[in-house]
Amino acid sequence: MADVLNPSESKAYDLAAIRQDFPVLSRTFYDKPLVYLDNGATTQKPKAVIDRIHRFYSEEYGTVRRGVYALSEGSTEAFAQTRETVKAFLNAAQSSEIVFTKGTTEAINLVAHSYGQPFIQAGDEVIVSAMEHHANIVPWQQVCLAKGATLKVIPMNERGELILEEYEKLLSPKTRVVAVNHVSNALGTINPIRRIIELAHQTGAVVFIDGAQGAPHLNVDVQALDCDFYAFSGHKIYGPTGVGVLYAKQAHLEAMVPYQTGGDMIETVTFEKTTFTQPPYKFEAGTPPIAQVVGLGAAIDYVNEVGLSAIAAHEHRLLKYATEQLNTVPGLSIIGTASMKAGLISFVLEAAHPLDIGTLLDHEAIAIRTGHHCAQPVMKRFNVPATARASFGMYNTFDEIDRLVAGLHKVIDMMG
Ligand code: C6P
């Protein structure tokens, strides 16, 4: 299938131009052009982000919120601008609801600690789902252990969809927090988070949405969703590593205890007593990842320029085509066949272990992820040790899917 879509689509979505924006996509491995299909793990960076970080370090870099000199003031402004950009991106009510973290993992740990500490008590319950990444299980498990609370799990069906009737049965006045992902990194399922939030709120629970695989692919409006917390990672949305976002309703941030303590999150310090400053700074102890935050701003600007709806539509076409094509590969089973999926396909082959698939595809210059994807309970639920996973980004093409399918045929030939 040709790379360029039909004329009206190609006008709206200039795939060739987008690919030009990502320098790494012109690389070859083993004399073959790179096919990068591991966007669920991390995305490649456009020139706009690389250049912004380069320019920032070359000409503008200084500390933030601490200096009275021009470099520091400029950096403080650029840093603050990203908070505004993220606020608009998520449609948060105010920029003080945007906390910068190291990534989704740190955002979840922050909420589990800072909300859990004051608000989860012995006998309370926390609900997660059967398709969570370890990052959205373990912090909640630990806070439950520490507090004498119980962790409950929303089950899923054979297609990898959460069973909402079972979720409703789990909810009770004891439920303090419901923590679920927007999109599963192991199955690709898009969860009905609006309904999940609505039901939780009816019992007085707050909802944490792990948006690591959601925000890069779907429009998110935290006010329309009415979610209490939403988190995502910069590096999965074409931005740098070392930076992530936690959105939280202002009232929650004010009631929560700090996660880390130290410089820049205080109002007054004496040896007897410390008072803390206002959110979001109350949750940003120490010198933050300044250039990474600025780079994240450039990444979101870039995504906005291409258009998240257009990206989602393109990835959906890729998903549809890849699903059809992969289903023609002998002995291949797709793990996760939900009716609502993002551009991510987990699969197993009768002929080869996922690790062998990944290694052999690498020799075709095709990068996919293999393993349990930090979601061991999902592997157990589907009775597989691991899967191979192809996950799409804004720059992937139909030809690349053809390359993947051809690569899998080669794997079968070699293993057979
Ligand atoms: N998933 C993958 O699937 P960090 O590492 O903090 O940026 O993101 C953690 C995380 C949390 N939730 C979900 C749903 C995720 O998918 C991830 C990261 C990667 O390949 C690495 S395991």
Side-chain angles (χ1 to χ4, degrees):
M1 186 163 175
D3 267 350
V4 180
L5 310 168
N6 73 43
S8 62
E9 282 172 325
S10 63
K11 202 169 164 215
Y13 197 78
D14 193 344
L15 190 49
I18 290 169
R19 288 183 66 81
Q20 287 283 319
D21 287 340
F22 288 81
V24 80
L25 297 181
S26 61
R27 279 210 62 186
T28 56
F29 292 87
Y30 315 105
D31 290 329
K32 294 164 194 160
L34 168 68
V35 174
Y36 186 75
L37 295 174
D38 198 15
N39 297 284
T42 198
T43 51
Q44 297 298 338
K45 316 306 169 198
K47 273 195 304 238
V49 170
I50 299 166
D51 292 350
R52 181 70 193 100
I53 294 171
H54 185 263
R55 195 172 78 243
F56 185 69
Y57 275 134
S58 306
E59 299 170 20
E60 302 172 37
Y61 179 72
T63 193
V64 290
R65 292 170 32 82
R66 289 159 170 83
V68 292
Y69 49 91
L71 273 180
S72 173
E73 282 173 358
S75 290
T76 303
E77 215 169 283
F79 187 88
Q81 179 53 47
T82 297
R83 213 185 296 273
E84 294 300 325
T85 302
V86 175
K87 169 197 170 248
F89 183 65
L90 296 179
N91 193 32
Q94 43 197 340
S95 56
S96 56
E97 295 178 319
I98 305 301
V99 176
F100 292 120
T101 64
K102 275 195 303 193
T104 306
T105 302
E106 189 178 51
I108 301 170
N109 277 277
L110 191 163
V111 178
H113 172 89
S114 299
Y115 189 87
Q117 192 63 25
F119 294 114
I120 298 175
Q121 310 302 340
D124 286 345
E125 292 176 358
V126 173
I127 297 177
V128 296
S129 91
M131 65 174 79
E132 295 312 308
H133 186 281
H134 298 162
N136 204 27
I137 300 173
V138 186
W140 300 112
Q141 197 174 52
Q142 295 306 304
V143 78
C144 284
L145 266 174
K147 291 296 198 116
T150 307
L151 193 71
K152 302 261 172 170
V153 183
I154 312 168
M156 59 180 156
N157 63 24
E158 278 304 311
R159 294 187 298 279
E161 296 164 326
L162 295 181
I163 305 171
L164 287 191
E165 302 78 60
E166 296 299 324
Y167 168 52
E168 287 191 59
K169 286 186 211 157
L170 291 178
L171 283 165
S172 85
K174 289 192 227 163
T175 314
R176 287 290 150 269
V177 179
V178 175
V180 295
N181 59 40
H182 192 173
V183 174
S184 158
N185 73 314
L187 301 167
T189 310
I190 301 174
N191 284 313
I193 54 171
R194 190 186 285 261
R195 184 75 186 131
I196 288 171
I197 293 165
E198 202 172 68
L199 289 167
H201 284 173
Q202 283 168 14
T203 67
V206 299
V207 182
F208 177 93
I209 302 294
D210 169 354
Q213 305 288 347
H217 308 285
L218 304 166
N219 284 299
V220 176
D221 180 335
V222 288
Q223 290 188 78
L225 286 169
D226 195 25
C227 61
D228 299 278
F229 304 99
Y230 193 101
F232 68 92
S233 298
H235 70 99
K236 291 189 203 283
I237 188 164
Y238 311 99
T241 50
V243 61
V245 166
L246 169 67
Y247 158 81
K249 283 182 179 166
Q250 182 75 18
H252 294 324
L253 288 177
E254 279 169 15
M256 285 156 62
V257 298
Y259 174 54
Q260 293 181 338
T261 52
D264 216 35
M265 52 77 66
I266 55 87
E267 218 167 46
T268 60
V269 178
T270 66
F271 285 109
E272 290 71 39
K273 186 173 184 294
T274 296
T275 57
F276 305 122
T277 191
Q278 292 305 307
Y281 311 114
K282 181 172 136 186
F283 300 98
E284 294 178 358
T287 303
I290 304 169
Q292 290 85 338
V293 165
V294 171
L296 172 63
I300 295 177
D301 285 345
Y302 181 81
V303 165
N304 285 336
E305 217 169 284
V306 178
L308 202 48
S309 300
I311 294 170
H314 175 65
E315 289 173 355
H316 190 76
R317 287 190 291 267
L318 291 172
L319 172 73
K320 190 165 174 289
Y321 181 64
T323 304
E324 286 161 10
Q325 295 306 306
L326 287 174
N327 276 328
T328 66
V329 175
L332 186 147
S333 306
I334 292 177
I335 308 293
T337 51
S339 62
M340 295 289 286
K341 275 184 75 170
L344 183 156
I345 305 180
S346 259
F347 58 92
V348 290
L349 266 185
E350 271 168 22
H353 187 278
L355 194 59
D356 295 325
I357 301 173
T359 309
L360 293 170
L361 286 181
D362 173 53
H363 289 273
E364 298 301 313
I366 301 169
I368 61 156
R369 189 171 167 196
T370 62
H372 55 58
H373 314 293
C374 301
Q376 287 180 3
V378 175
M379 301 300 118
K380 196 168 169 206
R381 169 67 179 77
F382 287 94
N383 205 20
V384 289
T387 72
R389 186 189 72 178
S391 50
F392 311 126
M394 66 161 88
Y395 36 64
N396 287 123
T397 69
F398 294 89
D399 281 351
E400 289 180 318
I401 291 166
D402 292 342
R403 291 256 318 268
L404 171 67
V405 171
L408 290 171
H409 280 285
K410 264 195 179 171
V411 171
I412 293 168
D413 289 347
M414 287 172 85
M415 299 303 284

